[in-house]
Amino acid sequence: MNEVLFQRTGLIGKVILNRPAAINALTHRMVLEIEDVLRKWAIDDGIQVVVLTGAGERGLCAGADILAIYRDAVVGGTSTRDFWRDEFRLNALIARYPKPFVAVMDGLVMGGGIGLSAHASHRVVTERTRMAFPETGLGLVPDVGSTWLLANAPGELGIHAALTGVRLDAGDALELGMADAFVDSGKVGWLVDELTLIQAGEDTAAAVESCLQEVSVPGPGSALSGDRGWIDACYSGVPAEEIVPRLLSAEDLRAKEAARQILLKSPSCVKVALESIRRARSMTGLEKVLEQEFQVSLRCLAAPDLIEGLRSQVIDKDRNAVWVPASLGEVTRETVQSYFTPVNDGFAVNEL
């Protein structure tokens, strides 16, 4: 079975992730196939709009093939590095794609799924959308351009999402600036059908906007937006080891739960994720952030917490990771800075 389906209907090019049993988790082959087709469609006058969807009912994409990453990390292989290199370049390509790119973020969207969709020109969420950034609990740091998205979220919402791994719904995705339109899941098929009716000679971008306006409705409210008071107060301007006491001393019970969640994650990855997002706030654009994320990801790949995090969450599923170091206070400033030291000077996402 083809892991990605590519279809042409009218002036529309459809990219359908096709591993429904794995919630369309990305493989390296999928990334390469998508990149190859997108490059061809970019210069093909017969394609004016690209639409990304996922097969099955569970979600657009649950992220990368975590088991493959674990196996590669255990043996010290290079396949994960190669996968990330090509995946990050694909993320950059989607972000600057020359034609309207409509990503339907229905169901579960995490990790690599965010990289494929949240950089698109038109991002659609539904009442079934569930997003999350679980990386710090896996011995990783948000990547695929996620630190750029999180850095540009209102206030400290992005840092809260990254450090806790909290589940986000459609309202939260809209509030954080990771989606543009809310469409009932039952009308997604109608939206795609309407897009296929776009005619040659039309203003394509305007036609896409018209289709979205016709079918979209106001999205649900964001619970996180209502928590901005304690989130901004607790996360702003202090290191991670000071964030946790702030959360624990806040009156809101959700703040205390946020502290509990942070303490379950890899202390190293929590501190590196915090530093990554804060650095991204002052960077010039997505491509530079992706290059930073690539270096950080390679450092994570070589660190003990990745294998341990994947073991506890994916392999043994005991949810009892033994992190090294074991606490936020033990992770030194020098250790955090070491994650940003280039380990592959030859990588640049603008080599497209």
Side-chain angles (χ1 to χ4, degrees), residues 9-14 48-53 100-104 122 124 187-200 202 204-215:
T9 306
L11 299 177
I12 305 302
K14 299 177 183 178
Q48 291 298 311
V49 181
V50 174
V51 178
L52 171 71
T53 59
F101 192 115
V102 181
V104 180
H122 299 78
V124 175
K187 295 187 176 180
V188 167
W190 181 92
L191 170 62
V192 176
D193 288 343
E194 285 297 299
L195 291 172
T196 64
L197 299 178
I198 293 175
Q199 299 294 311
E202 284 191 74
T204 308
V208 171
E209 289 289 347
S210 178
C211 289
L212 285 172
Q213 289 176 12
E214 188 171 350
V215 72

Side-chain angles (χ1 to χ4, degrees), residues 124-127 181-188 191 212 215-217:
V124 175
V125 288
T126 76
E127 79 284 356
F182 178 81
V183 174
D184 185 277
S185 61
K187 295 187 176 180
V188 167
L191 170 62
L212 285 172
V215 72
S216 64
V217 296

Side-chain angles (χ1 to χ4, degrees), residues 304-320:
D305 278 2
L306 174 60
I307 292 175
E308 176 62 6
L310 296 180
R311 180 207 62 77
S312 68
Q313 295 292 327
V314 180
I315 307 303
D316 298 336
K317 300 182 180 179
D318 57 26
R319 310 294 192 267
N320 189 30

Side-chain angles (χ1 to χ4, degrees), residues 167-340:
R167 284 289 179 99
L168 310 174
D169 62 15
D172 296 325
L174 291 163
E175 177 68 19
L176 269 68
M178 298 182 186
D180 308 298
F182 178 81
V183 174
D184 185 277
S185 61
K187 295 187 176 180
V188 167
W190 181 92
L191 170 62
V192 176
D193 288 343
E194 285 297 299
L195 291 172
T196 64
L197 299 178
I198 293 175
Q199 299 294 311
E202 284 191 74
D203 181 331
T204 308
V208 171
E209 289 289 347
S210 178
C211 289
L212 285 172
Q213 289 176 12
E214 188 171 350
V215 72
S216 64
V217 296
S222 165
L224 281 188
S225 178
D227 292 336
R228 275 284 301 277
W230 63 263
I231 288 176
D232 289 356
C234 291
Y235 289 93
S236 180
V238 295
E241 58 265 38
E242 293 183 33
I243 289 173
V244 170
R246 284 188 179 188
L247 291 168
L248 291 172
S249 63
E251 294 183 1
D252 198 301
L253 292 178
R254 285 168 292 191
K256 300 181 190 302
E257 174 61 18
R260 190 183 76 83
Q261 289 299 323
I262 291 172
L263 292 173
L264 292 173
K265 316 302 185 193
S266 159
S268 298
C269 292
V270 165
K271 297 189 81 167
V272 174
L274 180 62
E275 178 73 8
S276 294
I277 295 168
R278 288 176 173 169
R279 286 185 178 216
R281 285 173 172 167
S282 62
M283 298 180 80
T284 56
L286 173 63
E287 292 186 358
K288 290 298 181 183
V289 173
L290 283 165
E291 290 168 6
Q292 173 178 275
E293 289 178 349
F294 185 68
Q295 305 301 339
V296 169
S297 295
L298 292 186
R299 291 292 183 184
C300 290
L301 187 61
D305 278 2
L306 174 60
I307 292 175
E308 176 62 6
L310 296 180
R311 180 207 62 77
S312 68
Q313 295 292 327
V314 180
I315 307 303
D316 298 336
K317 300 182 180 179
D318 57 26
R319 310 294 192 267
N320 189 30
V322 179
W323 307 116
V324 180
S327 68
L328 292 168
E330 294 176 78
V331 183
T332 66
R333 181 67 181 167
E334 291 73 22
T335 296
V336 172
Q337 294 303 313
S338 71
Y339 278 74
F340 298 88

